[in-house]
Amino acid sequence: MAVYYCKEKQTFTLQTKKSTYQMKVDDHGVLLHTYFGSVMDGSDLSYVIAKRDRGFSGNPADSIYQREYSLDCLPQEYPVFGNGDFRIDGFCMQGESGACSCDLRYRDYTIYEGKYHLEGLPALFADKEDKTVSTLEVVLKDQFSELYVRLLYGVFEETGAITRSVIVENHTGKPVQLHRVLSACVDFDRSDLEMIHFYGKHTLERQFECQPLMHGISGIRSTRGTSSHQHNPFVILKEKHTTEDVGGCYGFSLLYSGGFEAKVEVDQSDTARFLMGIEEENFCYTLEDKETFTAPEVCMIYTDKGMTDLSHCYHDTYMKHLIRSWWKDKKRPVLVNNWEATYFDFNAEKLLAIAKEAANLGLDMMVLDDGWFGKRDSDNSGLGDWFVNEEKLGCSLKELVDKINAMGLKFGIWFEPEMISEDSDLYRRHPEWAFKIPGREPVRSRNQLVLDFSRKDVREYVEERLYAIMDSANIEYIKWDMNRSINDVYSALLPPSRQGEVLHRYVLGLYEVTEHLLQRYPKLLLEGCSGGGGRFDAGMLYYAPQIWCSDNTDAIERTRIQYGTSFCYPMSSVSAHVSVCPNHQNGRVTPLKTRAICAMQGTFGYELDISKMTDEEKDEVRRQIQTYNEHYALFQFGDYYRLSSPFENQDYVAWEYAAKDKSYAVISIIFTDVHANAYPTRVRFKGLCESAVYEVRGEQYTGSALMHGGYRIGMPEGNYDSFMLYAKRV
Ligand code: GLA
């Protein structure tokens, strides 16, 4: 078991192969945070905590005349609002008196084998036989009321992950208002750290940014009801000199698909407090007596071996303990999606022409995107009317799917179940199902409104429609889209005092519908999407093993988006397609080869009208698919290495996949600038066996040579040229 309780010292120590984490109950019953870092022996580290009267830092009631004892200065596991700690905190409640105050002290603990489960929320899991995963639950109680807070810790010894969640239990006999229930707090006894986060916008998600911590509060958040394009719920805190290969870094990934926040405060004593959880601006939850509230899970990983190792730990953890899909260990179908090929302008004939060519070239699946239902020839109408538009198609869905299946292709379809168009039969019947504040015109976005997924009747309607379509034809894949940020949050079924719960209930509703869908169709391949990567988060991965990474399909901008995505999320979850040139989003022209190499960084497919390609292009596509099919296992399950940063290196982007058994590896490199009188570029392999011999382009080299000396690849024949370089153990 990786959780150790020392009765004498009152310490709890969590041990993984990567890190040690420790907390301690002090003489006042406060749960202190004493360590998170490289593996150490588990000695009680509370002796290093500096206790001094710092002035204007108050003393709790049980330490009167002990001026050096202040919660304002102590590192804590779960700091709360209103007990004399003036830093940012994880928990704020308002009790019967109307005052916001609480003071949590230690009550009890439990340790058990296996991983805790969170009702209705995504969470990491462990197989029953897996003895390397364990749970610690620590119970805290408010000094002044019967309010209990359970802190949950899941410890994954092998992959280094430590998860956290919080369950609040109300036994006060009265309702309490929860204004803030964040999921994790880590107090660092230092502030010389840098924060890496991944910001962006629609069609340019997860852009890398790194900045030193500053005094005061810095952080990121999404108030959009989704995890968002603008910020991703994944943050790294790293030491200044940490690189891809060496140094200490902490990852924090939130398993939640709604609004979130992640923030750090550097305080008067130069310590830093990190917090992460549900965004509080849109949150106020009334917890009735005897009710519980569960905060979503955070997955924390520390390694002292650099950021590549951090990413490997996340990828391995999420592949083994988060993604459940039937598809997770299987080769994903190479698909063609008709969106950029036809947009809304299609009928069965056009679709079948694409499918015919797709089958010809060796693809596995045809996906029918937006526009097949209701009245939907533009994005102004039809959402909610999930009835096949047979008039537009010219046949029934079953007829279309049967024909596509007969060509040897699987079939997938697009849905946007959380949305409603005002110009739809559903809206005309149920205007109260859309988020709208009574008496006000709502904020529209893409001319659509958001369905109130906190309502059971709404969820039941959506499930009934999804199942009806699913049962009508042989559908093996769904692209689940969500195309706006949420505004006018108001649920007609909840009283005014509970409107602050709606967004969280919406997310729970989304998880419930998705869960039901997967239970009913366990072999369904679900692809997440929100205008591309607007909901690319670990919460979604629990349901969808792959997510459409961005609506931007330009190979060059994609290298940056996929680079940022790779820090936390397994590359098999990164859905990436080859599209036409000039690119529809930015007009850039890149070689077909480069577009394919870029798309093979993730789960591979096409998004163009294959039937319009030249014979030469078709031959190239055929070869690309052969390459992907030959090496998919490496791309899906190999260790991923970022060999250069597109945010630093203006000349090229390079990355590598290495098989876990080190038997072979492939480096991909895309040139992003070219120079006169240039010198051929050298790349160094990573993750090979030093002493083994590998063959690269017909010549033999030791792993050692390829990793230390590297390999000189040819000169690019023009800008945006690209290469793949294989090293196979002989
Ligand atoms: C979103 C998706 C696209 C496409 C369109 C359809 O923007 O990200 O891939 O499905 O919706 O409307």
Side-chain angles (χ1 to χ4, degrees):
M1 196 91 85
V3 182
Y4 302 90
Y5 170 62
C6 173
K7 196 168 173 205
E8 192 201 338
K9 304 274 188 193
Q10 294 270 77
T11 54
F12 297 96
T13 306
L14 318 180
Q15 296 285 14
T16 77
K17 284 190 173 166
K18 297 283 168 186
S19 60
T20 301
Y21 188 101
Q22 191 185 66
M23 61 201 97
K24 176 189 171 88
V25 184
D26 77 2
D27 296 343
H28 297 264
V30 170
L31 189 62
L32 300 178
H33 173 75
T34 48
Y35 184 73
F36 186 21
S38 302
V39 175
M40 50 86 63
D41 67 1
S43 304
D44 175 3
L45 289 182
S46 60
Y47 69 92
V48 289
I49 295 172
K51 285 192 189 147
R52 275 184 55 212
D53 176 11
R54 290 198 171 98
F56 287 82
S57 289
N59 318 109
D62 54 349
S63 66
I64 188 166
Y65 302 124
Q66 283 178 268
R67 288 179 53 165
E68 75 290 350
Y69 188 85
S70 173
L71 296 173
D72 201 21
C73 307
L74 289 170
Q76 292 160 67
E77 272 304 300
Y78 200 58
V80 301
F81 181 84
N83 64 357
D85 182 348
F86 295 96
R87 295 168 288 181
I88 52 174
D89 61 81
F91 183 74
C92 179
M93 71 154 231
Q94 190 176 17
E96 202 188 350
S97 70
C100 288
S101 174
C102 155
D103 191 348
L104 297 177
R105 302 293 170 103
Y106 173 77
R107 265 323 259 280
D108 205 357
Y109 78 94
T110 343
I111 296 171
Y112 50 88
E113 235 174 48
K115 169 71 191 346
Y116 63 82
H117 169 75
L118 299 179
E119 201 51 48
L121 279 165
L124 265 59
F125 57 84
D127 294 342
K128 280 218 173 64
E129 322 72 63
D130 190 343
K131 303 282 179 237
T132 66
V133 180
S134 29
T135 294
L136 165 68
E137 294 194 17
V138 183
V139 182
L140 308 177
K141 181 189 166 298
D142 180 25
Q143 285 234 68
F144 308 108
S145 75
E146 291 298 307
L147 185 103
Y148 294 80
V149 170
R150 268 197 292 148
L151 304 182
L152 308 181
Y153 299 81
V155 187
F156 293 76
E157 265 182 273
E158 291 297 315
T159 66
I162 296 176
T163 64
R164 295 185 58 173
S165 178
V166 175
I167 298 180
V168 186
E169 292 175 5
N170 181 7
H171 296 287
T172 64
K174 296 270 161 36
V176 298
Q177 304 277 321
L178 303 176
H179 293 287
R180 180 162 55 248
V181 188
L182 299 188
S183 303
C185 172
V186 176
D187 275 348
F188 294 91
D189 189 22
R190 60 191 295 188
S191 59
D192 57 343
L193 295 169
E194 295 179 338
M195 176 159 140
I196 296 176
H197 66 109
F198 302 89
Y199 71 97
K201 57 185 172 188
H202 178 226
T203 66
L204 204 66
E205 300 87 341
R206 291 172 294 287
Q207 302 293 291
F208 177 98
E209 187 166 63
C210 178
Q211 59 204 16
L213 300 185
M214 60 162 199
H215 281 95
I217 302 167
S218 43
I220 55 165
R221 67 171 193 177
S222 160
T223 56
R224 295 167 180 270
T226 58
S227 46
S228 88
H229 302 84
Q230 286 71 13
H231 292 287
N232 192 263
F234 176 64
V235 164
I236 298 172
L237 293 182
K238 75 170 192 67
E239 287 161 2
K240 248 192 206 137
H241 302 293
T242 295
T243 65
E244 286 286 359
D245 303 307
V246 294
C249 43
Y250 300 84
F252 300 94
S253 163
L254 182 66
L255 282 68
Y256 192 61
S257 309
F260 75 96
E261 59 189 40
K263 53 191 176 186
V264 189
E265 179 171 4
V266 176
D267 74 347
Q268 55 180 343
S269 317
D270 290 333
T271 68
R273 169 170 289 171
F274 175 83
L275 286 158
M276 192 177 218
I278 295 182
E279 176 269 320
E280 57 198 89
E281 200 89 39
N282 280 300
F283 179 84
C284 179
Y285 199 99
T286 303
L287 196 64
E288 298 290 342
D289 186 41
K290 305 275 181 306
E291 274 186 359
T292 62
F293 176 84
T294 306
E297 184 164 284
V298 168
C299 175
M300 317 188 295
I301 296 181
Y302 172 80
T303 171
D304 53 19
K305 300 201 164 38
M307 287 188 292
T308 298
D309 192 48
L310 186 74
S311 296
H312 288 176
C313 293
Y314 270 105
H315 295 181
D316 292 348
T317 301
Y318 285 176
M319 286 298 277
K320 188 154 181 226
H321 301 291
L322 175 64
I323 299 174
R324 301 172 295 169
S325 170
W326 183 81
W327 282 94
K328 95 163 153 185
D329 300 323
K330 303 194 171 54
K331 179 180 177 295
R332 306 290 165 78
V334 177
L335 61 84
V336 59
N337 177 306
N338 75 307
W339 179 240
E340 286 198 19
T342 66
Y343 295 103
F344 292 107
D345 181 18
F346 60 81
N347 55 23
E349 202 185 317
K350 265 196 193 178
L351 298 171
L352 289 169
I354 297 176
K356 192 173 157 214
E357 209 51 65
N360 217 351
L361 300 182
L363 278 88
D364 305 311
M365 179 184 272
M366 163 94 195
V367 173
L368 173 54
D369 211 280
D370 195 355
W372 54 267
F373 53 90
K375 186 182 101 190
R376 184 76 174 165
D377 290 323
S378 77
D379 47 19
N380 291 339
S381 61
L383 290 169
D385 295 344
W386 301 108
F387 297 88
V388 178
N389 187 340
E390 296 190 359
E391 208 180 307
K392 175 172 179 175
L393 273 185
C395 64
S396 72
L397 188 62
K398 183 170 167 32
E399 281 165 327
L400 176 75
V401 177
D402 285 349
K403 283 187 186 156
I404 289 176
N405 285 168
M407 293 174 185
L409 292 179
K410 296 177 186 300
F411 177 82
I413 200 163
W414 179 97
F415 275 101
E416 197 180 358
E418 298 153 77
M419 294 296 144
I420 182 164
S421 304
E422 284 163 280
D423 184 1
S424 69
D425 292 341
L426 183 67
Y427 189 80
R428 285 182 276 276
R429 264 202 328 275
H430 285 295
E432 78 287 5
W433 280 9
F435 280 148
K436 264 183 318 164
I437 301 169
R440 294 192 196 186
E441 278 295 304
V443 172
R444 277 97 180 171
S445 181
R446 210 189 185 199
N447 291 321
Q448 60 197 53
L449 300 180
V450 183
L451 274 175
D452 178 359
F453 259 49
S454 76
R455 291 175 68 132
K456 195 158 184 279
D457 48 2
V458 169
R459 299 197 300 271
E460 280 171 356
Y461 166 79
V462 168
E463 288 188 6
E464 187 271 318
R465 282 291 87 214
L466 279 167
Y467 300 165
I469 300 290
M470 283 292 292
D471 293 343
S472 73
N474 183 24
I475 299 171
E476 299 181 66
Y477 158 112
I478 285 181
K479 176 174 170 189
W480 181 301
D481 210 341
M482 196 289 186
N483 276 318
R484 61 161 291 178
S485 304
I486 306 180
N487 212 86
D488 296 278
V489 179
Y490 175 86
S491 179
L493 287 191
L494 288 171
S497 62
R498 303 201 79 138
Q499 294 300 324
E501 299 171 22
V502 175
L503 271 184
H504 179 60
R505 290 181 181 275
Y506 174 94
V507 178
L508 296 180
L510 164 70
Y511 290 150
E512 184 188 287
V513 175
T514 340
E515 182 68 41
H516 288 171
L517 181 69
L518 291 169
Q519 273 167 18
R520 195 177 154 114
Y521 307 99
K523 294 186 181 169
L524 176 71
L525 175 55
L526 193 62
E527 175 157 333
C529 179
S530 173
R535 205 159 57 183
F536 205 122
D537 56 66
M540 279 321 287
L541 288 185
Y542 188 63
Y543 307 92
Q546 60 192 57
I547 300 175
W548 181 227
C549 186
S550 177
D551 272 351
N552 188 339
T553 52
D554 167 53
I556 306 306
E557 294 210 281
R558 266 289 182 130
T559 58
R560 292 182 207 126
I561 298 166
Q562 291 169 190
Y563 171 85
T565 309
S566 76
F567 279 83
C568 180
Y569 307 103
M571 298 316 285
S572 61
S573 68
V574 176
S575 180
H577 297 169
V578 174
S579 63
V580 287
C581 275
N583 177 267
H584 285 193
Q585 289 78 44
N586 64 9
R588 195 191 324 253
V589 175
T590 51
L592 181 54
K593 167 170 107 172
T594 299
R595 283 174 266 155
I597 288 182
C598 177
M600 282 184 210
Q601 200 176 9
T603 289
F604 187 58
Y606 291 81
E607 181 116 0
L608 44 75
D609 192 341
I610 315 186
S611 65
K612 293 198 178 129
M613 288 181 129
T614 63
D615 287 345
E616 229 175 40
E617 286 172 331
K618 284 179 192 165
D619 282 346
E620 196 171 337
V621 167
R622 202 173 276 119
R623 286 196 301 276
Q624 289 169 354
I625 293 168
Q626 276 163 5
T627 304
Y628 184 75
N629 287 346
E630 191 184 332
H631 301 290
Y632 83 90
L634 188 61
F635 303 141
Q636 266 185 244
F637 313 119
D639 283 334
Y640 180 80
Y641 292 90
R642 293 173 291 269
L643 300 184
S644 73
S645 160
F647 293 91
E648 284 170 6
N649 186 333
Q650 302 303 319
D651 292 340
Y652 63 85
V653 198
W655 65 91
E656 179 193 330
Y657 289 91
K660 287 202 181 286
D661 66 2
K662 299 182 188 294
S663 60
Y664 82 124
V666 56
I667 286 181
S668 300
I669 178 163
I670 295 181
F671 285 87
T672 47
D673 204 356
V674 281
H675 303 281
N677 197 11
Y679 206 58
T681 304
R682 174 168 59 164
V683 285
R684 289 184 179 81
F685 278 86
K686 291 186 178 179
L688 302 181
C689 170
E690 289 265 350
S691 57
V693 175
Y694 293 84
E695 190 173 299
V696 180
R697 293 183 176 165
E699 301 286 333
Q700 297 197 347
Y701 309 86
T702 61
S704 190
L706 290 173
M707 290 196 289
H708 301 290
Y711 189 89
R712 264 196 209 289
I713 51 172
M715 299 291 290
E717 278 176 18
N719 207 8
Y720 310 133
D721 198 3
S722 53
F723 299 92
M724 272 175 142
L725 192 64
Y726 294 89
K728 288 204 173 151
R729 192 155 64 194
V730 292

